[in-house]
Amino acid sequence: MGCVISNLSAKFAFFPPYPPTYQIKKQEDGKLNAVYTSSSMPLASAAGGVDDGGGGCSLDVLSLRTKRGNKIVAFYLKNPYARLTLLYSHGNAADLGQLFDLFVQLKANLRVNLMGYDYSGYGASTGKPTELNTYADIEAVYECLQTEYGVSQEDLILYGQSVGSGPTLHLASKLPRLRGVVLHSAILSGLRVVCHVNCRFCFDIYKNVNKIQKVKCPALVIHGTEDDVVNWLHGNRLWKLAKDPYEPLWVKGGGHCNLELYPDYIRHLYKFIYDMETMTTKTQLTKIKERLRLPKKSNLGKSTAGCYFCCVKVGRPSCPKCPKPRCPKCFGRPKCPDCLTLNCHCFKCFGRPKCPDCLGLDCCCFNWNYCCWWPKPKCPDVKWPSCLKCGCFTCLGKCGQCSCW
């Protein structure tokens, strides 16, 4: 049933350019070469020839088999000065031939290695474009980066444009040590592009609204404010749902397919790449601990000497803020931040943990002014064992100078 729905959705979601803008030819040495369909000129030659410091083009053309039996085409552009690798998932109605010049510019300006690929049914890739096929496509490319180029997830940044945000977040949600994610004109889901809905449907595709919450690495969101294909609200919602959101880029006046023309685009993207390069493992762990808000280490291993109620087998308090006591034998001693001493005669909250005055022996039952448990008498001077004014215990209405109850 899932395959039928995916194939049906694909007819309305994917529009691969036809005919493809490039072709793959095999050279005499067995290597693959990509040439433009219109001119038969090699893509690498048109982009500037031999790599001369990051600005030229050192291109590897790859043919990868996916777990769903399709063969997809991938381009790997190497920058000799790069520390990180960018895995680019392009948008709809485009293929590698159209994006190749952009890849060369990104590789040089961002100082990264770049891997781009065509989905099944796009360009020279075989098969049909479906949601499940795109997931298998990006997984095959990631496996190639690991095995052929030695790229670990700690040195990888995933980049998803428009529809490409679907496979990007699919893979990012499975890689806990990923360096970063870029969401360019991303979608909340396929159905939400067509109509504004908040409920879930079984026939919806690319449910990024759910997967973004599983991504643990920094996420940069780039979106045009005048995007008439994917509304700006998609990017804004994804940014708010991200666990580690990076400073977003809202391109004022930007549309869906022209953000690369704005100077702020490359400037902000370069800043993100630079921050990801300089981010150390220690910085990452600090951010993770802050997000998780891990509690301090407990004193379970320390001696319980001084705990006067370890022998009293009383029930745990019902306060949700009072977890398991530090002393494994004393079930009446919660870790409530408002009850700091064991000698509190209200026995540590028992459902009333928010008393800021339960700090010692003189509180609660022994001092009406600071009682957090019993209802306070109207007379502010009534105390245990005697009222300073009338000399009685609780007045009981007999005091002529005050009315305690």
Side-chain angles (χ1 to χ4, degrees):
M1 183 63 181
C3 294
V4 174
I5 294 174
S6 180
N7 291 332
L8 182 61
S9 302
K11 295 182 179 180
F12 301 97
F14 301 102
F15 302 96
Y18 185 83
T21 62
Y22 71 97
Q23 296 177 345
I24 299 298
K25 294 185 177 181
K26 198 169 186 178
Q27 300 177 346
E28 295 180 357
D29 57 0
K31 293 184 179 181
L32 299 179
N33 191 22
V35 299
Y36 285 108
T37 303
S38 57
S39 62
S40 298
M41 178 183 294
L43 273 66
S45 300
V50 181
D51 198 327
D52 56 355
C57 179
S58 175
L59 173 64
D60 291 346
V61 180
L62 308 168
S63 178
L64 308 175
R65 181 173 291 277
T66 72
K67 64 182 181 181
R68 294 178 65 86
N70 299 321
K71 284 187 176 181
I72 62 171
V73 177
F75 291 173
Y76 180 78
L77 289 77
K78 183 174 178 58
N79 189 318
Y81 301 102
R83 294 179 56 189
L84 302 178
T85 299
L86 195 71
L87 175 51
Y88 195 106
S89 301
H90 62 72
N92 210 345
D95 63 15
L96 293 179
Q98 295 171 312
L99 295 168
F100 185 71
D101 290 337
L102 173 64
F103 288 172
V104 174
Q105 294 301 320
L106 291 178
K107 181 202 70 167
N109 294 330
L110 301 179
R111 200 173 63 179
V112 294
N113 301 317
L114 192 145
M115 174 75 90
Y117 66 101
D118 264 336
Y119 312 121
S120 299
Y122 278 72
S125 298
T126 64
K128 294 182 179 180
T130 65
E131 179 187 13
L132 297 180
N133 277 345
T134 59
Y135 293 161
D137 297 340
I138 194 171
E139 289 173 0
V141 176
Y142 173 64
E143 184 179 355
C144 175
L145 284 173
Q146 283 186 306
T147 57
E148 298 295 329
Y149 298 99
V151 178
S152 62
Q153 56 178 291
E154 291 86 354
D155 297 324
L156 182 64
I157 295 177
L158 300 184
Y159 190 113
Q161 179 188 13
S162 188
V163 171
S165 60
T168 293
L169 287 177
H170 166 77
L171 182 61
S173 63
K174 296 184 175 183
L175 303 180
R177 300 188 306 277
L178 190 65
R179 183 58 65 107
V181 170
V182 180
L183 301 175
H184 176 165
S185 301
I187 64 175
L188 285 169
S189 73
L191 183 61
R192 286 174 172 83
V193 176
V194 181
C195 56
H196 299 287
V197 293
N198 291 324
C199 51
R200 302 175 183 177
F201 296 91
C202 62
F203 52 84
D204 198 3
I205 63 173
Y206 295 135
K207 300 174 184 178
N208 296 337
V209 66
N210 300 330
K211 293 182 180 179
I212 184 64
Q213 302 176 57
K214 300 178 182 179
V215 177
K216 298 179 176 61
C217 63
L220 166 63
V221 178
I222 303 175
H223 216 106
T225 59
E226 301 298 327
D227 193 329
D228 57 354
V229 178
V230 180
N231 193 281
W232 167 81
L233 295 175
H234 286 248
N236 186 50
R237 178 81 182 280
L238 289 171
W239 176 67
K240 290 182 177 180
L241 290 174
K243 284 189 174 181
D244 189 4
Y246 189 82
E247 179 186 357
L249 174 61
W250 311 126
V251 182
K252 188 176 181 179
H256 189 68
C257 301
N258 62 350
L259 299 186
E260 296 88 353
L261 303 178
Y262 289 81
D264 287 344
Y265 167 79
I266 196 68
R267 188 182 301 120
H268 197 82
L269 193 55
Y270 177 81
K271 180 178 180 296
F272 175 74
I273 298 296
Y274 177 79
D275 289 343
M276 295 302 101
E277 286 181 341
T278 56
M279 182 174 64
T280 61
T281 304
K282 183 178 180 180
T283 305
Q284 286 179 299
L285 291 176
T286 301
K287 286 187 176 182
I288 293 174
K289 288 181 179 179
E290 289 176 355
R291 291 199 304 269
L292 297 177
R293 296 179 181 178
L294 295 176
K296 294 182 179 180
K297 294 182 179 179
S298 62
N299 297 325
L300 291 176
K302 294 184 178 181
S303 172
T304 57
C307 177
Y308 301 108
F309 293 99
C310 283
C311 58
V312 182
K313 305 299 182 180
V314 296
R316 294 184 184 179
S318 59
C319 171
K321 294 185 179 180
C322 295
K324 185 178 180 180
R326 291 183 181 180
C327 175
K329 296 181 181 180
C330 184
F331 297 99
R333 187 179 185 183
K335 299 164 78 173
C336 174
D338 299 316
C339 295
L340 304 180
T341 63
L342 187 62
N343 296 330
C344 175
H345 281 252
C346 61
F347 291 100
K348 299 295 185 309
C349 310
F350 282 107
R352 304 168 182 82
K354 297 183 179 180
C355 172
D357 301 305
C358 291
L359 302 178
L361 191 63
D362 296 327
C363 71
C364 292
C365 306
F366 286 83
N367 193 334
W368 287 115
N369 287 334
Y370 299 94
C371 182
C372 64
W373 192 354
W374 300 98
K376 292 184 180 180
K378 295 180 180 179
C379 174
D381 297 313
V382 173
K383 296 184 178 181
W384 182 288
S386 63
C387 175
L388 296 179
K389 287 188 176 182
C390 59
C392 61
F393 169 41
T394 58
C395 295
L396 298 176
K398 300 177 181 180
C399 176
Q401 302 179 25
C402 63
S403 57
C404 300
W405 302 93

